[in-house]
Amino acid sequence: MYSEKVMDHFSNPRNMGEIENASGVGTVGNAKCGDIMRMYLDIDEAGLIQDVKFKTFGCGAAVATSSMATELVKGKTVQEALLITNKAVTEALDGLPPVKVHCSLLAEEAIHAALWDYAEKNGLEIEGLSKPKTDIHDGEEEETYE
Amino acid sequence: MNQNNQGKPFIYFDNAATTKTAPEVVEAILPYYTEFYGNPSSIYTLANESRKAVTLARDTIANAIGAEANEIYFTAGGSEADNWAIIATAEAYQTKGKHIITSAIEHHAVLTTCEFLEKKGYEVTYLKTDEYGLINLEELEHAIRKDTILISIMFANNEIGTIQPILQIGEIAKAHGVLFHTDAVQAFGQIPISVDEMKIDMLSASGHKLNGPKGVGFLYIRKGVKSRSFIHGGQQERGRRAGTENVPGIVGMGVATKRALSIMDLKIKREIELRDYMIQKIEKEIPFSRLNGHREQRLPNNVNFGFEFVEGESLLIKLDMEGICASSGSACTSGSLDPSHVLLAIGLPHEKAHGSLRLTLSEENTIEEIDYTVDKIKVILEYLRNMSPLYEDYKKKNS
């Protein structure tokens, strides 16, 4: 069902983890549709993305697109990162099954959300960047099993 | 442990999806392709063998549920039987009324058929279930109206394994003069069924859930129940289901039924032993897990757990890499964006419904396989939880 690239990124995700005191953190998606992506960016004073990490709750495609998105973002400038589209992520993975294309949209949104957080923290205005949706818990507060 | 051709473990825990065709079933089927390929409707001697074989299978199956042979109608599977039972009853009894009662946790073969009828002007009541997946008998009785023509409640649920109080449902239906259909795809050949004792008017079953072939099933229709032909174009199956009989499939279903009956007591005992061992092991060893479904009113081979903070498809791919076949109620495995309607109906919130794992055993599985699998689940869950932003949030909130 998945391409070899997707399986590779799912099995060996690149840049999985957290960054403490990250320059920007963005969380997108919602539990209802079953995918939540969180992206951490470490951006230096020149606006270059030095490091990136992700955490994802989701299917194989969601994990693979998160992983691929971090690879595409790393070493880019903020402006360059903003231009990374879901199409670019999908193509870099040699395609996704049609029902999974929404996962790649999530990857694009996660980059934008992290950049938005970075801009807010630093009082910057990044051209072409709008406020991300923040609906990850969909308003439900649930008890855990234990 | 079983191994695949690369020498890696191979463990099959998806017997509710389908089962391995039993060797004696395969053996019994083959001559009906190679030697006795005659069309049962033909006049020459060759066709006698096909006719005899179909008759024998029909007798075996009728006996298995305490029915008469002429009440068994072969179909291309469980879904066709469900469609037929519901649509044909709706048509045949529409002068009496246009109201049908079913449950929210039925298989899609029943649910989607009911939705289809709603568009045709029928009214359908979808009974809710409790957190274990059991319908409420008082609610059922309360839902019956003057124009109710059919109650369709599944014998046992395919995802969470909950067995409904079929005996009591049958009594209620009979007392109110309403027909009772049950989708017994997960129950037939697994647990005892008696259509008379349980007052079942129609029952659907499928061959490949009991080590029989795919593409064959049957609908039991009690004598006297009005039913229309569902497939038109021939006199097969007493004129009610046209099409040349799937002779090899029917033969295979007959042999599978005979086999299932002969091993049923031992199989149930063995599966319950394995099932309860697995449930206890998971509950003991894996944090943030919860058993879905009823603890006692449960199919002998069904284990279904919710694992918090992870998504089912990721879990399934990781298990597959370890040679373990299982299934999940997550959206990604359903091909839509919604998780299992069954898990939502028993009250799980979306993120927990996405994190479910169904393991359905057979009598051939072993304790060793269960130990191996639970160990792998543990490692995989730890890995996936470390990757999960939901787990991160939970830890931060509770540190």
Side-chain angles (χ1 to χ4, degrees), chain A residues 13 34 49 61 63 73 76 80 91 96 116-117 126 134 140 142:
Chain A
I49 298 170
V63 173
V73 156
K76 299 271 166 50
E80 284 168 337
E91 277 168 11
L96 287 170
W116 179 266
D117 183 49
I126 302 173
T134 52
E140 16 183 338
E142 296 300 335

Side-chain angles (χ1 to χ4, degrees), chain A residues 2 10-11 13 16 18 31-34 36 38 40 55-60 99-100 102 141 143-145, chain B residues 288 306 308-311 313-314 321 332 335 337 349-352 354 383 386-387 389-390 392-394 397:
Chain A
Y2 287 132
F10 173 73
S11 312
M16 200 268 283
E18 300 163 47
K32 208 167 179 177
C33 79
I36 298 171
R38 178 169 296 163
Y40 301 83
K55 282 210 169 178
T56 290
F57 164 89
C59 62
V99 67
K100 304 285 189 178
H102 73 279
E141 192 70 28
E143 283 171 38
T144 48
Y145 291 145
Chain B
F288 306 110
E308 228 168 316
F309 314 119
V310 301
E311 192 277 336
E313 192 206 78
S314 289
M321 289 172 177
C332 289
L337 291 185
H350 276 80
E351 68 264 38
K352 285 179 194 172
H354 283 294
Y383 172 81
N386 268 328
M387 198 192 284
L390 294 175
E392 184 186 316
D393 291 349
Y394 171 80
K397 222 165 86 185

Side-chain angles (χ1 to χ4, degrees), chain B residues 32 36-40 46-55 247:
Chain B
Y32 292 90
F36 312 122
Y37 48 81
N39 187 324
L46 174 68
N48 285 346
E49 291 302 324
S50 318
R51 263 197 301 274
K52 265 198 278 177
V54 170
T55 302
V247 178

Side-chain angles (χ1 to χ4, degrees), chain A residues 1-6 65 87 89-98 101:
Chain A
M1 165 176 167
Y2 287 132
S3 72
E4 267 177 48
K5 269 241 173 91
V6 172
T65 51
K87 210 169 152 240
V89 177
T90 309
E91 277 168 11
L93 286 167
D94 293 339
L96 287 170
V101 171

Side-chain angles (χ1 to χ4, degrees), chain B residues 2-256:
Chain B
N2 286 331
Q3 294 185 334
N4 67 8
N5 49 15
Q6 278 133 37
K8 286 173 101 178
F10 175 79
I11 301 173
Y12 190 74
F13 280 147
D14 207 13
N15 287 282
T18 194
T19 55
K20 182 169 79 178
T21 317
E24 59 260 52
V25 170
V26 177
E27 206 184 315
I29 286 173
L30 287 177
Y32 292 90
Y33 284 113
T34 53
E35 282 177 70
F36 312 122
Y37 48 81
N39 187 324
S41 301
S42 301
I43 195 78
Y44 35 73
T45 318
L46 174 68
N48 285 346
E49 291 302 324
S50 318
R51 263 197 301 274
K52 265 198 278 177
V54 170
T55 302
L56 180 66
R58 204 187 302 278
D59 287 344
T60 307
I61 289 166
N63 274 332
I65 57 172
E68 300 287 330
N70 59 12
E71 296 173 310
I72 304 295
Y73 299 86
F74 288 112
T75 67
S79 291
E80 185 194 319
D82 283 339
N83 272 257
W84 181 9
I86 296 166
I87 293 174
T89 305
E91 281 183 354
Y93 287 85
Q94 58 185 319
T95 49
K96 186 196 166 196
K98 289 189 151 191
H99 180 238
I100 294 168
I101 300 170
T102 186
S103 86
I105 64 164
E106 297 295 311
H107 188 275
H108 282 115
V110 168
L111 281 183
T112 313
T113 303
C114 285
E115 284 160 18
F116 166 80
L117 285 175
E118 280 181 297
K119 286 189 204 124
K120 302 251 172 208
Y122 288 82
E123 266 186 85
V124 181
T125 300
Y126 299 91
L127 295 175
K128 292 197 181 79
T129 71
D130 65 13
E131 60 179 309
Y132 306 108
L134 286 171
I135 66 153
N136 182 310
L137 293 169
E138 278 170 36
E139 267 172 48
L140 167 67
E141 196 150 22
H142 199 70
I144 297 173
R145 320 189 309 211
K146 269 205 175 112
D147 60 341
T148 305
I149 49 173
L150 178 68
I151 295 169
S152 180
I153 304 285
M154 71 198 321
F155 207 109
N157 185 267
N158 49 311
E159 289 187 43
I160 56 175
T162 302
I163 301 171
Q164 299 295 343
I166 293 297
L167 199 73
Q168 288 89 330
I169 297 171
E171 270 164 16
I172 291 171
K174 175 117 200 214
H176 290 269
V178 178
L179 292 175
F180 174 33
H181 164 254
T182 185
D183 169 0
V185 166
Q186 293 293 335
F188 178 71
Q190 315 292 336
I191 49 177
I193 299 175
S194 160
V195 289
D196 281 345
E197 207 178 304
M198 296 166 172
K199 302 185 174 57
I200 296 165
D201 295 306
M202 284 171 280
L203 176 145
S204 310
S206 166
H208 71 106
K209 310 288 189 185
L210 51 140
N211 308 92
K214 294 168 181 66
V216 64
F218 72 85
L219 177 65
Y220 156 78
I221 308 176
R222 181 178 292 282
K223 216 175 281 171
V225 171
K226 276 194 283 178
S227 186
R228 301 269 169 99
S229 164
F230 192 56
I231 308 280
H232 308 280
Q235 281 309 305
Q236 292 91 350
E237 303 299 292
R238 296 157 47 86
R240 282 178 158 182
R241 203 279 187 183
T244 299
E245 296 85 346
N246 172 5
V247 178
I250 290 169
V251 167
M253 177 135 196
V255 174

